[in-house]
Amino acid sequence: MINSKLAELLDVIADMLELEGEKYSRFEVLAYRKAAVTIGGLQEDAEEIYKKGGTDALMELPGIGKSMAAHIEEYIKTGKIAKYEKLKKKYPLDIANLTKIQGMGAKKAFKLYKALGVKDVQGLKKALAQHRIRDLEGFGEQSETQIQKGIDFLESGGGRMLLGTALPEAEAIRDKLLKSGLVEKAIIGGSTRRMRETVGDLDILLISSKGQRVMDFITSMQEVESTIAKGPTKTSVRLKIGLNCDFRLVERTSFGAALQYFTGNKDHNVKLREMAIKKGLKLNEYGLFDKRNRNVAAGENEEQVYKTLGLDWMEPEMRENRGEIYLALHHKLPKLVQLADIDGDLHVHSKFSGDSSNTFEEIAGEAKRLGREYAGVTDHSKSEYMNRGLDEKGYRRVFAEIDKANKKLEGFTLLKSGEVDILKDGSLDIDRKTLGEMDYVLASVHSGLKDPKDAMTKRIVNALNSGQIDILGHPTGRLINEREPLQADMDKVFEAAKDNGVAMEINSQPSRLDLNDENAIKAKRYGLKFAIDTDAHRISHMQYMRYGIGMAKRAWLRKEDVVNTMDLGSLLKLFKK
Ligand code: DGT
Ligand code: CA
Ligand code: CA
Ligand code: ZN
């Protein structure tokens, strides 16, 4: 999808034309602004529109005239717009990022560039620190504070980071600390440990006898951009990836209590504290204390904290105060599905469609390495025009290739499937005969994601009622921080899925995680089964399974709720039904 990038570029051109002043009319500036709004608000990818109907199709869009359409064509073909490249030579400013700061328009940015040589946010920060802005005409002390506030807001992240970015970073930092020999223990806590889909900041707990040296090591790590606070037991830093990280050094005797506390979530902790008070105890990050201030749950693991409160220990993913404490009290916690329970992956793309280059050998090799027994090849269907989707003939060719590959593979099976498009009326875009040749059918909605709720509900329910589908792929179509979920009456969707024995996908792509935990909890109430898939477009994506597992655990799913924990024989029997 090029829309947001393209819209931003058109906006920046408008900004730069404005700086040119007299030379350009307001109309011309406005034309770029209008085009930016149109492109930014499109449901369909502008590139797709162009590929289907050329510049003529683009010109049918509101606010897109001949020259704008030419710009878009140029951008699609070359990745650049010459007009912008020329303007940029004259104004070597990072306008796109500077104008993200609240109250900072292109004009102000240009003034600062002319007066102080400020080119980007980094330069702006420097100028602020040296108080060089307050003396400029039209600025002053107040606007200096305002700009600083704007930068702080941006850097505080306004948005939250994907777990798929945050967790690997946290693990890299943890591993460096462990390798340094300076710490005895380093454990990741907070929302990252609970596998929330997004993370506000990282929390890492440490045991060490070399406090000062550990903190020095941390603040000089290559991952660290700046130090926010530094003390002997607590240090907070800003990471280069745009996330804060809190480090806490705790006593060995407090470690269990501290880990419990800093894993959270907050509501879960508040509940536990109330339970402690009822027992005449006091719970905090240092321990669980009796009336005489003795730590009755001292030690390195958190089991002791839960046990002393009369609770069974539970996995971090459950700690959201959604009723897990009640279950723990009555020894009724479910046994959650584990990554090791997964026997295969039912959504993997291959080189036969889409932007994937995965060969069957690569897919099988990686899946085997990950301890799996099977992988479903789910190439796109023909409606995914941009993704080189397959028609009936195309699928048959792929199936023949799969048969050939399977003969060579030992102890591993590639399954014949497809990620088949659900069309507007709920029909599938591949004929019944071909679907019948698949081991199972994965079907997804890929277009018209902003259609009204009634229409979307009907579309999905119709598809489910066709009796052709085994798994509904990424059921809400959302992209975290990028695209809202489609609007559908999920109760009706889940009901129809139950009637037709269709499993819900938990798509493990970090930006999808779809179904999310809340929807999966709901789907489970309908007695539905789940397929935790990676939707791998690259071989490396096959490791995303752990994020889907995190989501499944957050929805309290057990092994028996997840179809791809079954061995191949049982799975095929299930799909035959
Ligand atoms: P985040 O960072 O927004 O993704 O979410 P968390 O859960 O990591 O929250 P964070 O980093 O503010 O705090 C880490 C943990 O510390 C949190 O999960 C529970 C605990 N905690 C923080 N503030 C409080 C509080 O006011 N009361 C209690 N009982 N626990 C707290
Ligand atoms: Ca946190
Ligand atoms: Ca924190
Ligand atoms: Zn897919």
Side-chain angles (χ1 to χ4, degrees), residues 313-326:
W313 180 86
M314 72 196 78
E315 295 196 59
E317 288 89 340
M318 290 190 77
R319 303 182 198 170
E320 296 286 344
N321 193 31
R322 289 170 173 161
E324 71 280 6
I325 293 174
Y326 178 86

Side-chain angles (χ1 to χ4, degrees), residues 160 189-192 194 199-203 244 246 262:
R160 300 166 58 86
S191 51
T192 316
R194 302 195 313 277
V199 167
D201 72 2
L202 299 177
D203 305 275
N244 292 349
D246 292 337
F262 289 110

Side-chain angles (χ1 to χ4, degrees), residues 77-120:
K77 283 187 169 160
T78 67
K80 282 181 184 167
I81 296 178
K83 183 161 190 144
Y84 167 74
E85 299 299 323
K86 214 162 122 194
L87 284 163
K88 207 178 141 197
K89 284 216 181 93
K90 200 159 162 195
Y91 307 106
L93 296 188
D94 183 5
I95 287 198
N97 279 314
L98 283 168
T99 53
K100 275 185 195 147
I101 299 166
Q102 228 161 14
M104 181 69 103
K107 285 221 177 74
K108 266 193 191 163
F110 185 58
K111 266 193 194 161
L112 290 174
Y113 168 65
K114 267 198 154 164
L116 305 170
V118 168
K119 285 182 182 172
D120 50 23

Side-chain angles (χ1 to χ4, degrees), residues 281-315:
L281 301 168
K282 198 179 92 190
L283 177 65
N284 58 32
E285 61 265 52
Y286 303 105
L288 184 56
F289 300 96
D290 67 9
K291 287 259 149 52
R292 280 188 273 164
N293 224 20
R294 283 182 312 198
N295 190 354
V296 291
E300 284 180 41
N301 57 45
E302 35 174 44
E303 267 98 341
Q304 204 53 37
V305 174
Y306 284 98
K307 204 171 145 195
T308 312
L309 293 174
L311 301 171
D312 293 339
W313 180 86
M314 72 196 78
E315 295 196 59

Side-chain angles (χ1 to χ4, degrees), residues 160-161 189-194 196 198-203 243-244 246 248 258-271 273 283-285 319-320:
R160 300 166 58 86
M161 189 166 282
S191 51
T192 316
R193 184 164 181 238
R194 302 195 313 277
R196 253 191 90 170
T198 59
V199 167
D201 72 2
L202 299 177
D203 305 275
L243 194 66
N244 292 349
D246 292 337
R248 310 252 176 179
L259 182 57
Q260 192 291 311
Y261 181 92
F262 289 110
T263 297
N265 74 4
K266 192 173 158 184
D267 295 341
H268 176 94
N269 286 356
V270 169
K271 263 269 171 63
R273 188 175 298 183
L283 177 65
N284 58 32
E285 61 265 52
R319 303 182 198 170
E320 296 286 344

